[in-house]
Amino acid sequence: MKLTDISRQLATAFAAVGVSSLVLVGCSNSSAPEATKETVTEGTETTATNDIDPDHSKIVIGTTEGDFADMVRNQVKSSLEAQGYEVELVTFTDYVRPNLALADGDLDINIFQHKPYLDTFKKENNLDLVELFQVPTAPLGVYSGKKTKISEVYKGMSVSAPNDPSNFARALVMMNELGWITLKDNIDPLTASKSDIADNSKYDIKIVELEAAQLPRARDEVDFAIINGNYATDAGIKLTEALFQEPSFAYVNWSAVKSADTGKKWVKDVTEAYNSDAFKKYAHDSFPGYKFPKIWSADTELGAHTDTDATASIMPAVEATAQ
């Protein structure tokens, strides 16, 4: 299946997504859902300008604990407080309640999910929510196992991949983009499975499916490992060590708000805070190897790291698609 076909079908699939149980990228699972509130208005070193929404002076932001919460604590809150807003951060350890809390009015905005998950969740729960802007996200990547360069591919090699349906589909799309396999024409990239592989004869890859959390620990048992960004960072693997990262922006995480709030000043102010030069600098300094929002200019897109000597010879079109 051609790369252009995959890209076109991704765009179509995400516009009409109906897939259940999509797995989030850049977040950790927890069996004990909790929410923690942090009112972060004290101790700011900036002086408020009071250039705020007169009808909405307090902004409640919900995220999962980890990088998204750190973005609020370490950069976004000071920017909003400088305008005169009060900021409250609420962190969650599950992926269900942030959207329900947003719909119920307990949150003003949440930041934790990619668009396929949001589209599916709001459809299944009849919620009037809408995506707002993308945020830096740890991407899926190909990492070294027994082999240290993508150019070391050989017939009969082994490649580990996450075994959940959503991320396994993404892994197949990545292998198609690298030219390792060929997927059938006109498949749904969101639900691609082994049965959608048209040709695996070039390298006769042995695909080893593992729980996502096990992938970093099993790297020495395979030639290459396809690992979720959050599990890579949890295992101490630098994202800049990835030999290849998925070029698609489809799984970069988004903020979400209630549809009725989209035109309000406070929404505009939060959006500007997350797309300001100060936030971009913070993100690039703090999260090397991450996939950054598509609207950020190409010269600051430092997250699209690849093993360039390999991708240049294996899949020349990949770099152009990643821009």
Side-chain angles (χ1 to χ4, degrees), residues 2 75 124 152 166 214 218 256 260 323:
K2 295 180 180 179
Q75 214 286 324
E124 293 180 347
E152 295 177 340
S166 175
Q214 297 177 7
Q323 298 304 315

Side-chain angles (χ1 to χ4, degrees), residues 2-110:
K2 295 180 180 179
L3 178 62
T4 52
D5 293 333
I6 283 285
S7 299
R8 186 180 304 112
Q9 289 179 40
L10 273 171
T12 301
F14 288 127
V17 65
V19 183
S20 298
S21 303
L22 289 168
V23 177
L24 292 174
V25 179
C27 302
S28 303
N29 286 302
S30 172
S31 59
E34 294 181 358
T36 303
K37 294 184 179 181
E38 301 176 24
T39 302
V40 286
T41 57
E42 301 298 330
T44 180
E45 297 179 358
T46 57
T47 301
T49 64
N50 291 319
D51 180 23
I52 65 173
D53 188 330
D55 299 318
H56 199 93
S57 61
K58 179 179 179 180
I59 301 173
V60 183
I61 303 174
T63 74
T64 46
E65 188 54 75
D67 297 338
F68 299 130
D70 288 342
M71 292 175 195
V72 177
R73 295 187 186 107
N74 299 335
Q75 214 286 324
V76 173
K77 77 177 185 68
S78 62
S79 177
L80 292 172
E81 288 172 348
Q83 290 181 251
Y85 286 104
E86 178 184 352
V87 177
E88 181 178 300
L89 172 64
V90 181
T91 58
F92 296 85
T93 57
D94 72 294
Y95 306 138
V96 174
R97 291 186 304 146
N99 281 331
L100 298 179
L102 178 60
D104 289 341
D106 296 327
L107 303 176
D108 294 312
I109 183 171
N110 70 35

